[in-house]
């Protein structure tokens, strides 16, 4: 009787291991498919027809956009949301650089010697 119980447990364990292996195989295949789809989308986005669009000169951000970003940053700071604050800080830095590139020093109020 003990041998039969032991054999049944081994058989059950083997079935469970096969089922787990099959689930793992399926998950890996889904992951591979997602990676391949992502690669194809990235390649499509970086083709030569899109390169020109990425290099175009965009106009400076509007004053309303800048004010909204500043307000969102201040709200994130008040709420104690460090990830949101850091993200908005980087966005504001990027927007500030774009604005600064369009200004000469005199317009920006910077004294040059």
């Amino acid at each position: 009787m003990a041998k039969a119980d032991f054999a049944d447990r081994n058989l059950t364990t083997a079935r469970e291991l096969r089922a787990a292996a099959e689930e793992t195989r399926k998950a890996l295949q889904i992951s591979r498919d997602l990676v391949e789809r992502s690669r194809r989308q990235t390649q499509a986005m970086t083709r030569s027809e899109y390169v020109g669009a990425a290099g175009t000169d965009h106009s400076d951000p509007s004053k309303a956009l800048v004010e909204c970003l500043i307000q969102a940053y201040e709200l994130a700071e008040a709420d104690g949301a460090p990830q949101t604050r850091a993200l908005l800080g980087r966005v504001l830095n990027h927007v500030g650089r774009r604005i600064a590139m369009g200004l000469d020093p005199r317009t920006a109020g910077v004294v040059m010697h």
Side-chain angles (χ1 to χ4, degrees):
M1 192 71 155
K3 284 186 178 183
D5 289 339
F6 184 72
D8 286 342
R9 277 187 281 159
N10 285 341
L11 186 60
T12 302
T13 302
R15 285 183 186 142
E16 290 172 355
L17 286 172
R18 276 191 219 107
E22 181 62 21
E23 288 298 316
T24 302
R25 187 194 64 75
K26 287 177 183 178
L28 287 172
Q29 186 60 47
I30 290 169
S31 296
R32 286 185 190 120
D33 293 344
L34 287 171
V35 168
E36 183 58 33
R37 187 173 5 148
S38 175
R39 283 184 186 145
R40 280 184 269 141
Q41 288 173 345
T42 300
Q43 288 173 349
M45 295 292 292
T46 57
R47 278 194 221 134
S48 61
E49 65 229 30
Y50 294 107
V51 172
T56 58
D57 184 33
H58 300 287
S59 62
D60 288 338
S62 69
K63 184 177 179 179
L65 172 66
V66 173
E67 289 173 352
C68 286
L69 286 171
I70 291 170
Q71 184 180 15
Y73 178 85
E74 290 170 347
L75 288 171
E77 191 171 37
D79 286 345
Q83 291 178 331
T84 305
R85 189 184 67 208
L87 175 66
L88 289 168
R90 285 191 295 261
V91 170
L92 281 168
N93 188 348
H94 177 73
V95 168
R97 288 178 190 269
R98 279 188 48 202
I99 292 171
M101 287 172 39
L103 298 176
D104 62 6
R106 184 181 305 182
T107 306
V110 176
V111 178
M112 300 291 290
H113 295 282

